[in-house]
């Protein structure tokens, strides 16, 4: 570890680095340490919340974050929810934190006429409606609760299909759950994909049933593709979805509520399309990548100019 810090310090000095930016754990802590060792200002971006792991905060975690607070100029939180977590659970001063929401590159997410490529891949008719979930199959994503909601949805709209993109360690167990509920024919696991915009373009709507979600780029991706999103009212998701306007919010871990909201968006196609239009506009106004990057650059330029 000491050798690593020395090597990194050498790289920073050799390249005459002005500012150090740390992303994700444990790299954010490394940024703070190497900034201290080289006398360079450091900033770190926090992408996670303590409730994601489902475990209590360890004393070592508190200590590492307090040291990073002392050695850095500012913490950037990707959502107001992350900022609250930093203040309430890691005891970081609110004045040391600035919220910079994640952004979406809108050049990559350009809605167009449905190509039905996903329909052909799944072997279903063009009259079928696909609800897409972009999430790794991990406990905090709450996919089990969505799968348990599917039979009730199929009872009203039998020609609906649910596609899951992202792979993950729980995929096999979720596949077995879908089959045990008699919904296996309408639930499809696509694995890890690199064509998310195309998958969204062929989908009717999107759903993210997370139990913990610092922000959730999957929501922004769907909104950018003019899709109404059903999401859980947890952490950073309500900062993206405006309930009843750009999508619907439900309590986390509530399969009946998920089923009810999905039935609602399947029933009212005109309202769902309007939600999608408003969702795209919200991303353009609040979550566009270039705007977020320029804001961060301005912070660095002000700091270097002595404005702090």
């Amino acid at each position: 570890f000491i050798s690593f810090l020395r090597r990194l310090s050498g790289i920073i000095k050799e390249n005459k680095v002005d500012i150090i930016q740390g992303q994700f754990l444990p790299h954010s802590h490394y940024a703070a340490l190497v900034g201290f060792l080289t006398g360079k200002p450091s900033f770190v971006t926090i992408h996670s919340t303590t409730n994601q792991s489902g475990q209590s905060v360890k004393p070592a975690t508190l200590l590492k974050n307090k040291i990073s607070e002392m050695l850095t100029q500012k913490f950037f939180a990707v959502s107001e929810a992350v900022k609250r977590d930093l203040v309430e659970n890691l005891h970081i001063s609110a004045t040391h934190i600035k919220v910079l929401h994640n952004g979406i590159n809108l050049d990559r997410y350009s809605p167009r006429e449905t190509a039905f490529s996903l329909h052909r891949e799944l072997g279903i008719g063009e009259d079928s409606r696909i609800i897409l979930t972009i999430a790794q199959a991990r406990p905090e994503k709450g996919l089990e609760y969505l799968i348990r909601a599917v039979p009730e949805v199929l009872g009203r709209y039998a020609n609906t299909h649910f596609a899951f993109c992202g792979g993950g360690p729980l995929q096999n167990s979720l596949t077995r759950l879908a089959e045990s509920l008699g919904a296996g024919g309408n639930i499809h696991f696509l694995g890890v994909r690199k064509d998310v915009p195309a998958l969204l373009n062929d989908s009717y709507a999107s759903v993210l049933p997370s139990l913990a979600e610092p922000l959730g780029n999957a929501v922004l991706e769907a909104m950018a593709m003019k899709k109404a999103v059903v999401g859980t009212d947890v952490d950073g998701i309500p900062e993206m979805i405006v309930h009843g306007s750009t999508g619907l919010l439900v309590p986390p871990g509530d399969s009946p509520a998920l089923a009810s909201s999905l039935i609602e968006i399947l029933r009212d196609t005109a309202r769902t399309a309007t939600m999608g239009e408003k969702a795209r506009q919200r991303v353009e106004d609040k979550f566009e990548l270039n705007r977020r990057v320029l804001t961060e650059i301005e912070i660095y330029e002000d700091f270097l100019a002595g404005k702090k």
Side-chain angles (χ1 to χ4, degrees):
F1 179 67
I2 299 300
S3 175
F4 164 74
L5 289 180
R6 285 175 178 166
R7 183 183 177 198
L8 187 55
S9 297
I11 291 171
I12 289 168
K13 292 175 180 177
E14 179 183 348
N15 290 279
K16 297 180 173 59
V17 169
D18 294 306
I19 284 177
I20 300 166
Q21 224 291 338
Q23 297 274 349
F24 301 103
L25 296 173
H27 308 88
S28 56
H29 298 315
Y30 298 162
L33 285 172
V34 81
F36 172 73
L37 293 173
T38 59
K40 300 293 184 180
S42 60
F43 297 74
V44 300
T45 300
I46 308 297
H47 296 262
S48 58
T49 55
T50 55
N51 67 341
Q52 279 184 277
S53 65
Q55 300 176 349
S56 60
V57 179
K58 298 178 181 178
T61 301
L62 288 171
L63 179 60
K64 289 176 184 178
N65 280 276
K66 290 303 291 184
I67 291 173
S68 290
E69 178 186 13
M70 290 187 292
L71 299 182
T72 58
Q73 308 303 318
K74 187 73 73 175
F75 280 7
F76 297 143
V78 300
S79 66
E80 293 289 348
V82 170
K83 180 178 179 178
R84 286 194 303 273
D85 183 67
L86 286 169
V87 172
E88 295 171 6
N89 296 321
L90 296 178
H91 310 302
I92 304 299
S93 170
T95 60
H96 196 75
I97 307 166
K98 180 174 178 59
V99 175
L100 288 178
H101 287 110
N102 286 340
I104 287 293
N105 180 2
L106 293 178
D107 291 339
R108 184 171 182 240
Y109 296 88
S110 301
R112 57 195 181 277
E113 187 175 345
T114 301
F116 298 106
S117 297
L118 183 55
H119 293 71
R120 290 192 292 274
E121 177 182 335
L122 299 180
I124 60 178
E126 294 184 0
D127 59 335
S128 299
R129 288 184 287 185
I130 299 172
I131 308 293
L132 182 68
T133 296
I134 308 166
Q136 279 202 334
R138 302 195 309 267
E140 69 272 19
K141 293 300 181 179
L143 301 186
E144 173 188 345
Y145 300 98
L146 173 56
I147 289 175
R148 292 189 182 281
V150 168
E152 184 176 347
V153 177
L154 297 180
R156 296 285 298 275
Y157 297 98
N159 207 16
T160 304
H161 289 258
F162 292 81
F164 293 83
C165 168
L170 298 182
Q171 181 171 305
N172 289 339
S173 63
L174 292 173
T175 299
R176 291 192 294 271
L177 174 62
E179 292 171 351
S180 71
L181 295 172
N186 293 72
I187 292 177
H188 312 270
F189 289 93
L190 309 178
V192 177
R193 301 288 290 253
K194 296 182 179 180
D195 57 343
V196 169
L199 298 178
L200 283 166
N201 198 68
D202 285 346
S203 300
Y204 176 76
S206 186
V207 56
L208 187 65
S210 299
L211 307 179
E213 195 69 59
L215 189 71
N217 275 12
V219 173
L220 295 180
E221 290 176 306
M223 291 171 64
M225 290 299 292
K226 295 186 176 181
K227 304 302 174 182
V229 183
V230 176
T232 42
D233 190 5
V234 65
D235 295 337
I237 293 179
E239 297 175 39
M240 298 175 288
I241 298 174
V242 179
H243 181 68
S245 176
T246 65
L248 298 174
L249 293 169
V250 300
D254 191 333
S255 296
L258 277 167
S260 178
S261 293
L262 290 167
I263 288 170
E264 184 176 340
I265 65 169
L266 287 164
R267 179 176 62 243
D268 195 337
T269 56
R271 184 188 180 208
T272 299
T274 299
M275 283 182 176
E277 294 287 342
K278 291 181 178 179
R280 169 73 184 201
Q281 189 62 54
R282 182 162 174 77
V283 173
E284 291 178 359
D285 293 343
K286 302 289 186 181
F287 300 98
E288 195 271 326
L289 180 60
N290 287 334
R291 183 180 291 110
R292 188 245 188 261
V293 171
L294 290 173
T295 299
E296 187 168 342
I297 290 173
E298 184 178 3
I299 291 170
Y300 298 149
E301 289 178 340
D302 286 349
F303 179 84
L304 294 174
K307 298 179 182 179
K308 298 208 176 181

